[in-house]
Every structure is written in C-alpha cells, then in structure tokens.
Amino acid sequence: MSEPIAAVVARAADLTARGLPHQAVALLRPALAANPLHAEGWCQLAAAHLDADEPDPALDAAKRALVLDGDHAWAQRLTSLALTELGRHTEALVAARECVRRRPDDWRCRVVLAEALAADAAGLPDAAREAREATRLAPTEARAYQVLGDAALRLGDWGAAERAYRTALRLDPDAADVRANLATVRRRRGGAPVTAPPADLLGAARALVWPALSRLAALLVTGCLVLTLAALPRPTPLLGWFAAALVAACLAVVARLLLGARGGVRRALLGLPRHRPRVAVVVVAFGLALVVLSGWSVALLLGAGTTQPLVLALLCALLGGAVVVLGGGR
C-alpha cells in the first residue's frame, strides 16, 4: 500500500526546510502523478522548485494548484515568487495583489507584494509600506524586517533601513545577507554625501513629480488664460483675489507632493531639477509664472490696472505646460 499523499507532502516540506529541495521534488513527483488533485502537494512542489532555483517548473506547479480546491493564497504567493524570478514583474505584481486580497492578514503575502512592488523604482514607497505592514502582522519574523530594510535601503532612508536590519538580526543572528546590508547602510550613513541620488531614488522621485507637474500645468495654463480673458478690457481688484487663489492652489499641489514623499525620495525630489533638465525647465517656468501672478495680484489689490504681467505669466505657464506634455514623464 502506497504512502498517503499528506504524509509525502509533510516529508517533502521537511526536506525542503533542511535544504534538500531536489530530494523533495523527487519524492513529490510520483506522489502527485498518482494524486493529481492534491492542491497542497502542488504548492509544496512549487516551493521545492523555488528553493532549488527552478522557477519554470515552480510556476507550472503553482498554476496547477490555482485550478484546484485548496489554499489559493499560497498558490498565488508561489506564482508571484516564480514570476519575479523569471523577470515577469507585471504578472508577479498582479499575483501578489491577489494573494493579499485573499489573505490581507497574512504577513507572507504582504512580503511577496513588497518584493513585487520593489521591482520598479516607482513602487519603492509602496513596497516599504507593505513591508511595514508585514512587520506589524508578524513582529517576530526576521524576513519581514529584512524586506523592509531592503526597501528603505533603496529609498535612501538610512535610519529606517538600519532599524529594520538590526531587528532582523536580533531575530535571526545567522542571516549573513542582512548583516552585509546593515554594514552597507552604516557606511553610507557615515560616509561622504554622494553628488547625485541613486538611480532608484531618482526614478521614484520622477514618478511622483510628473503627475504633480501635470496638475500644475492644467491649473496654471487654464487659470492664466481665464484671468487674461476676464481682465479685458481692464482688470478689476476682484481678479486679484482669483489670482491669489490660483497661486494658493498651485502651492497646495507642491506641498502635497513634498509631504507625500518620505526619506531619500523627498531629498531626491528636491535635487531632481539638477539631474533632469526637463524638470528644471518646468520648475523654472512654473516658478516664474507663480511669482509674476503673485506680484500682479498684489498690484491689482493696490489699485494697478495693467495686464502685461498676466501675459508674461501665461507665456511661462504655456512653456512649462508644453514641456510637460511633450516630455510625457520620460
């Protein structure tokens, strides 16, 4: 009489945990051939293949588990990990989000989602947030703190990275990769400042700044055009209040952008114009438009009746808006 499939899966899990994934695969293959509807067995096979650095068969096994009745969150998690290993990051992110949707309180799903988000520099802030949620759900799991430290390291948030890595080492003192990353954080924290932010930080900052610049372009171009038409044939002091409201709305967009960024991303945002010429042109053009609008607003309230500054503000807004539209966030 053959061994029950549940016992085989348990033995395979033990082999994988002991660092013998190939033996686990050899054990599971014939058992699953005889019991092809055992979802947990397919998940365990996928996990063994992942530990053996075999993402292709791992993905096949995880997909088999997805069509069976079983722990679909586990299957989605394994699917995301295999897709990440294969470089298919968009699909990995979809699988990771589905895993979290099914098990929002499972820290392992949050970790997988954080890793999938971190594949793109623009997703690093969200990756750090998901990893932080994983540490909240599982405060005794070193892996959750390691992923949080990795995201914070790439964001340039040295303080958060060091705290996360130190906690991970306290929970798992034998984690050599965590110890190496902690040493890297301490070197960067205590070393001389770099002349340019890392590429990851610049990418994350650019992904945040371009939508804000698009909103500013819409506000300034539309607002200046409406004010120009309303100022004919002669502006009234009431238009000064509208101009002031337009300036306040633009400053609110800028404030929201800066307050929404964290750590190294905020520093990269402030330094982005020095490293991205298109951003510099837009910032200068919109800055001039806001300064001119502010001065014109005050002048109107004091009794002036000129529209020339408003025309200059409109031209600056059009220049910055054209760069935003033509640049397309690239």
Side-chain angles (χ1 to χ4, degrees), residues 174-271:
D174 297 327
D177 49 347
V178 175
R179 195 175 301 278
N181 286 346
L182 178 58
T184 299
V185 170
R186 287 173 173 168
R187 283 197 306 272
R188 293 187 179 181
R189 212 175 175 184
V194 294
T195 57
D200 284 344
L201 290 183
L202 285 176
R206 185 176 55 187
L208 288 175
V209 80
W210 214 262
L213 292 179
S214 299
R215 288 192 289 272
L216 284 174
L219 278 172
L220 279 172
V221 172
T222 304
C224 288
L225 186 59
V226 170
L227 285 171
T228 301
L229 295 175
L232 297 175
R234 180 178 176 82
T236 63
L238 181 61
L239 291 180
W241 292 108
F242 283 108
L246 177 59
V247 172
C250 292
L251 293 178
V253 172
V254 175
R256 181 180 179 185
L257 170 66
L258 294 176
L259 293 175
R262 292 289 182 270
V265 176
R266 182 180 296 174
R267 291 191 291 272
L269 273 174
L270 296 175

Side-chain angles (χ1 to χ4, degrees), residues 46-232:
H49 277 303
L50 284 172
D51 273 26
D53 293 324
E54 298 169 346
D56 279 308
L59 180 59
D60 292 338
K63 285 183 175 180
R64 290 289 297 269
L66 282 174
V67 300
L68 300 173
D69 291 332
D71 188 351
H72 282 187
W74 187 13
Q76 290 285 6
R77 179 157 50 89
L78 293 164
T79 300
S80 180
L81 289 170
L83 289 167
T84 297
E85 290 293 324
L86 292 169
R88 296 160 60 179
H89 299 300
T90 302
E91 296 169 81
L93 183 56
V94 172
R97 290 193 187 281
E98 179 62 19
C99 178
V100 170
R101 188 189 71 81
R102 290 178 177 273
R103 291 278 183 85
D105 295 330
D106 189 328
W107 69 273
R108 295 165 298 183
C109 294
R110 297 283 179 175
V111 163
V112 168
L113 178 55
E115 291 178 314
L117 287 164
D120 182 3
L124 284 173
D126 291 334
R129 186 180 65 250
E130 291 296 334
R132 194 169 291 110
E133 177 64 13
T135 63
R136 186 190 69 80
L137 293 170
T140 61
E141 293 292 340
R143 178 62 181 159
Y145 288 97
Q146 179 182 358
V147 173
L148 174 58
D150 291 344
L153 174 61
R154 292 181 61 192
L155 283 168
D157 192 346
W158 313 127
E162 182 170 354
R163 288 191 298 272
Y165 285 141
R166 289 176 64 180
T167 303
L169 279 176
R170 188 172 68 249
L171 295 169
D172 183 10
D174 297 327
D177 49 347
V178 175
R179 195 175 301 278
N181 286 346
L182 178 58
T184 299
V185 170
R186 287 173 173 168
R187 283 197 306 272
R188 293 187 179 181
R189 212 175 175 184
V194 294
T195 57
D200 284 344
L201 290 183
L202 285 176
R206 185 176 55 187
L208 288 175
V209 80
W210 214 262
L213 292 179
S214 299
R215 288 192 289 272
L216 284 174
L219 278 172
L220 279 172
V221 172
T222 304
C224 288
L225 186 59
V226 170
L227 285 171
T228 301
L229 295 175
L232 297 175

